[in-house]
Amino acid sequence: MARKAAETQPQAADNTLPALPAMAEAANRLAVIHAEQEATVRAVAAQLGYQLPADCTDPDLIQRDIAANMRRSVEACLEVGRGLRVLKEACEHGNFISRLDSLGVEVRVAQRFMQAAVKFTNASTSTHLIKAIGSSSKLIEMLVLDDEQIEELELTGQTGELKLDDIATMSVKELRTKLRELRENAEAQARLLADKNTKIDELAAKLTTRKTHVKTPPPDVEGEAIRKEASQFAFEAESVVRGKLHAAFQALVEHSEKHGLPHDDFMAGLIGQLELSTRQLRNEFGVKERPDGQETPDWLRDPEPVLPANDGQLDLLRAEG
């Protein structure tokens, strides 16, 4: 067996030998193609006066250099806008246009630069926003946003359906379309809100008109209605205490008996909260405890309470009880 393996090993080596010239030829062709491509890149760069980063034709380095130049372009536009705005303030009336002519800047372009400078004043310190905008063309498109929307973009990375990360990957045309949709949605929401406010105002006016025709109930009737509402709230609170809270306490007791885990402090804390709320009500409204020590009056314990209209009726109910 060892002899057969030894005999087959040179045969395998011989099989690789014919492939070596083909591999060498392929490597040479790739080297030639790479050299030709590099020469073409250098020729185009020289023709356009473009300084290759680190004198290298690596596309990754060129892409990073372009991104840096694009950011500088946005920052340069903002700086130009700031300068134009200050220049306008420094010029005497009527001289600003002549200054623009000397600079070779059209009035409409100067206005856009100044608008961008004012709108993105705070954005100059927000590098992630400037980086996302990336170009002066996108910067001009972003002028349609309100100051609140720009601030929202800076703070949260999104305003409406427009995300900061999407701005970086969009083309100028895509950004323009997205901004138009955002503006249309905002206008539609504003119209909807205005319609709602109009309907609310109309309803309020109708209610005010109706109230002028409604007679005010007598004090005793009005007081009885308020008492009835207050008693309903008291019944609801008592039902929670006697029902759900009682069941929860029962479950805690059973859990403690079964597993030996104490819940006394926890239950005492809950009861303390209820007692504290009751004391706060007494102190806030000056409600004294009943002299007979009975916390809950008879009429409040009745499932269908008969609310006393005055103190005389209350004394009568107490005597009957």
Side-chain angles (χ1 to χ4, degrees), residues 136-145 172 175-176 179:
S136 57
S137 300
K138 288 186 179 181
L139 179 68
I140 299 303
E141 296 294 337
M142 296 281 286
L143 291 178
V144 299
L145 293 178
V172 176
L175 178 61
R176 185 183 303 119
L179 290 170

Side-chain angles (χ1 to χ4, degrees), residues 239-252:
S239 65
V240 172
V241 173
R242 294 182 179 272
K244 294 181 179 179
L245 187 58
H246 182 275
F249 275 29
Q250 183 64 38
L252 288 172

Side-chain angles (χ1 to χ4, degrees), residues 32-293:
V32 171
I33 292 174
H34 178 73
E36 291 177 350
Q37 182 181 11
E38 183 175 359
T40 302
V41 171
R42 292 185 179 277
V44 173
Q47 181 181 3
L48 297 176
Y50 175 69
Q51 180 64 43
L52 288 169
D55 194 29
C56 180
T57 60
D58 184 2
D60 291 336
L61 293 179
I62 297 174
Q63 180 178 339
R64 284 198 290 269
D65 184 56
I66 292 172
N69 287 329
M70 291 175 66
R71 288 194 294 273
R72 284 195 293 269
S73 175
V74 175
E75 294 168 356
C77 287
L78 293 174
E79 190 63 22
V80 168
R82 298 186 192 102
L84 290 173
R85 181 65 185 85
V86 175
L87 176 63
K88 182 179 181 181
E89 193 68 25
C91 289
E92 297 180 0
H93 182 69
N95 291 338
F96 181 62
I97 301 300
S98 61
R99 298 274 185 177
L100 293 179
D101 293 338
S102 300
L103 291 170
V105 179
E106 296 182 0
V107 176
R108 186 167 62 93
V109 176
Q111 289 175 344
R112 286 184 174 272
F113 280 143
M114 289 187 290
Q115 289 174 3
V118 173
K119 189 174 289 291
F120 293 92
T121 296
N122 296 329
S124 60
T125 59
S126 182
T127 55
H128 60 283
L129 179 57
I130 297 299
K131 182 178 179 180
I133 294 175
S135 68
S136 57
S137 300
K138 288 186 179 181
L139 179 68
I140 299 303
E141 296 294 337
M142 296 281 286
L143 291 178
V144 299
L145 293 178
D146 297 333
D147 294 341
E148 293 78 6
Q149 292 173 310
I150 293 176
E151 183 177 1
E152 189 177 15
L153 265 177
E154 295 177 16
L155 296 178
T156 66
Q158 182 174 354
T159 177
E161 298 296 327
L162 181 63
K163 296 181 180 179
L164 197 62
D165 295 338
D166 295 337
I167 296 176
T169 58
M170 287 178 178
S171 65
V172 176
K173 183 178 180 181
E174 290 172 339
L175 178 61
R176 185 183 303 119
T177 302
K178 192 66 176 181
L179 290 170
R180 183 172 61 249
E181 294 175 355
L182 185 65
R183 185 173 63 253
E184 292 174 351
N185 291 337
E187 292 174 353
Q189 292 178 358
R191 288 193 299 269
L192 180 61
L193 181 60
D195 293 340
K196 288 184 177 179
N197 290 335
T198 301
K199 293 180 180 179
I200 291 174
D201 293 340
E202 292 175 353
L203 180 60
K206 291 180 179 179
L207 291 176
T208 303
T209 304
R210 290 179 181 177
K211 286 182 180 180
T212 57
H213 299 290
V214 176
K215 294 182 179 180
T216 304
D220 56 342
V221 177
E222 185 179 10
E224 183 177 352
I226 296 174
R227 287 186 179 185
K228 185 176 181 180
E229 184 179 17
S231 66
Q232 181 64 36
F233 294 152
F235 286 133
E236 292 175 359
E238 185 180 5
S239 65
V240 172
V241 173
R242 294 182 179 272
K244 294 181 179 179
L245 187 58
H246 182 275
F249 275 29
Q250 183 64 38
L252 288 172
V253 170
E254 294 175 358
H255 182 271
S256 179
E257 294 175 351
K258 181 178 181 180
H259 300 284
L261 298 176
H263 301 292
D264 295 345
D265 292 341
F266 175 75
M267 292 189 293
L270 293 183
I271 294 177
Q273 291 179 8
L274 296 175
E275 292 175 344
L276 177 60
S277 298
T278 304
R279 287 197 300 271
Q280 288 176 344
L281 282 176
R282 288 188 181 277
N283 295 334
E284 182 177 355
F285 299 102
V287 179
K288 299 180 180 180
E289 295 184 5
R290 291 171 55 121
D292 55 5

